[in-house]
Amino acid sequence: MEYREIGKTGLKISALSFGASSLGGVFHSLKESDGIQAVHTAVDNGLNFIDVSPYYGHYKAETVLGKALKEVDRSKYILSTKVGRYGENGVNCWDYSAKKATESVYESMERLNVEFIDLINVHDVEFSDVNQVINETLPALHELKAKGVVGHVGITGLPLELLKYVVENTKKGVVESILSFCHYCLNDDALVDYLDFFEANEVGVINASPLSMGMLTERGAPAWHPATPELKAVCEKAVQHVKSKGASIEQMAMKYSVSNPRISSTLFSTTSSENVLKNIKWIEEPLDEQLLLEVREIIGPYFRETWENS
């Protein structure tokens, strides 16, 4: 397993890492014991970065992850969670106030059974008043950093331009990392246009959703996927083309996403130990460059087409 530093934080994390959203039953129902075992399998096989949020499963993912982490040596993993986006009784809610952010960190630590969070993120800044994030949320998190409660501070979101805006409008070092999703995968590599900017500002880059939220799978996009029908159709065509060549679109997607050394890590999520091991095996296999070109040709004018977060 290759390890890369997140910006200038000193945190060296695995190029492939474990996203714990599935532990909240976000994508499929789960058997809790399977999810716990998947976490253990990930850590035992060198995936030392784990990312979660109180929003995933409306606190369930953090709770299940906390049960898993009880049995893992704290030195074996680097933990990331978030503030700002929540939910209860099936209703989503957002609160980017300093008070809620501070309370949320302590509540997350209790659910996660830890006394320290390595990386705390402002979750999905596109749902916020971005000026509140800049002037209130981030300063509150840095107060916790000064107290030794958290190690480093980052932001997450879908619109890359907004992540850039927050970095541009804060002092260097306030935003230490960004977490972007669905912008470095087979159908969208827009993240590369921003790497020079983030590197110049000493901001680490974490990538998520290498399978484009299920669109780059033989199973196909879930019904709730926000992509346009046209993009879904060309991705399905690409999936079938790769399959006809005796290859796996999932393997291609995972390998492609971890292959850029300028991106610290790529997150994937599962509740299956078998899938953890499969993904590790996939990134060790070569990337078929010719087949990649053919996939890009199939996606054609829909390459880099995005959507609004929901």
Side-chain angles (χ1 to χ4, degrees), residues 49 60 71 88 92 112 134 162 168 209 271 283 307:
F49 184 62
K60 183 176 180 179
E71 303 171 38
E88 197 166 3
N92 296 336
L112 292 162
I134 292 167
L162 188 57
E168 284 176 324
S209 294
T271 59
I283 68 166
W307 50 81

Side-chain angles (χ1 to χ4, degrees), residues 253-291:
M254 296 302 299
K255 179 64 177 183
Y256 174 79
S257 290
V258 302
S259 294
N260 192 325
R262 300 173 73 187
I263 295 172
S264 300
S265 188
T266 290
L267 292 156
F268 77 99
S269 190
T270 185
T271 59
S272 163
S273 293
E274 181 182 351
N275 284 343
V276 170
L277 297 174
K278 186 186 294 183
N279 277 282
I280 293 171
K281 178 177 179 290
W282 276 341
I283 68 166
E284 294 171 350
E285 296 173 0
L287 178 65
D288 187 328
E289 298 287 350
Q290 177 56 41
L291 195 51

Side-chain angles (χ1 to χ4, degrees), residues 120-165:
I120 189 71
N121 300 279
V122 184
H123 196 177
D124 286 350
V125 293
E126 59 266 40
F127 291 101
S128 72
D129 171 350
V130 72
N131 291 316
Q132 183 182 31
V133 168
I134 292 167
N135 298 311
E136 185 176 344
T137 324
L138 287 168
L141 297 180
H142 274 275
E143 285 184 19
L144 293 177
K145 180 180 176 180
K147 293 176 181 177
V149 177
V150 302
H152 302 280
V153 177
I155 58 175
T156 85
L158 181 63
L160 290 163
E161 191 60 41
L162 188 57
L163 298 177
K164 180 184 178 187
Y165 177 87

Side-chain angles (χ1 to χ4, degrees), residues 93-290:
C93 59
W94 296 262
D95 188 340
Y96 294 88
S97 67
K99 180 177 183 293
K100 178 60 178 177
T102 301
E103 290 173 351
S104 181
V105 170
Y106 286 105
E107 290 167 359
S108 286
M109 288 195 297
E110 186 173 343
R111 283 189 291 269
L112 292 162
N113 292 303
V114 296
E115 296 180 353
F116 178 77
I117 293 170
D118 301 279
L119 175 62
I120 189 71
N121 300 279
V122 184
H123 196 177
D124 286 350
V125 293
E126 59 266 40
F127 291 101
S128 72
D129 171 350
V130 72
N131 291 316
Q132 183 182 31
V133 168
I134 292 167
N135 298 311
E136 185 176 344
T137 324
L138 287 168
L141 297 180
H142 274 275
E143 285 184 19
L144 293 177
K145 180 180 176 180
K147 293 176 181 177
V149 177
V150 302
H152 302 280
V153 177
I155 58 175
T156 85
L158 181 63
L160 290 163
E161 191 60 41
L162 188 57
L163 298 177
K164 180 184 178 187
Y165 177 87
V166 175
V167 174
E168 284 176 324
N169 287 277
T170 51
K171 292 180 180 179
K172 185 176 283 190
V174 170
V175 177
E176 298 175 87
S177 68
I178 65 100
L179 192 161
S180 162
F181 63 100
C182 293
H183 286 310
Y184 196 77
C185 46
L186 295 178
N187 60 291
D188 186 342
D189 70 349
L191 182 58
V192 298
D193 291 352
Y194 293 79
L195 293 179
D196 285 348
F197 170 80
F198 290 130
E199 287 175 0
N201 286 276
E202 301 182 350
V203 175
V205 176
I206 300 165
N207 176 45
S209 294
L211 303 181
S212 199
M213 301 196 315
M215 201 156 50
L216 299 171
T217 64
E218 291 188 10
R219 177 186 289 169
W224 50 260
H225 200 293
T228 63
E230 292 81 8
L231 179 56
K232 290 178 184 177
V234 294
C235 284
E236 171 60 19
K237 187 176 178 182
V239 169
Q240 294 306 319
H241 177 72
V242 171
K243 188 176 181 180
S244 75
K245 298 286 186 174
S248 161
I249 192 79
E250 291 92 343
Q251 186 275 327
M252 279 190 68
M254 296 302 299
K255 179 64 177 183
Y256 174 79
S257 290
V258 302
S259 294
N260 192 325
R262 300 173 73 187
I263 295 172
S264 300
S265 188
T266 290
L267 292 156
F268 77 99
S269 190
T270 185
T271 59
S272 163
S273 293
E274 181 182 351
N275 284 343
V276 170
L277 297 174
K278 186 186 294 183
N279 277 282
I280 293 171
K281 178 177 179 290
W282 276 341
I283 68 166
E284 294 171 350
E285 296 173 0
L287 178 65
D288 187 328
E289 298 287 350
Q290 177 56 41

Side-chain angles (χ1 to χ4, degrees), residues 30-51:
L30 78 145
K31 186 179 177 184
E32 197 171 283
S33 59
D34 289 343
I36 290 170
Q37 186 57 50
V39 174
H40 294 165
T41 300
V43 175
D44 290 345
N45 285 275
L47 305 189
N48 74 335
F49 184 62
I50 302 172
D51 176 78

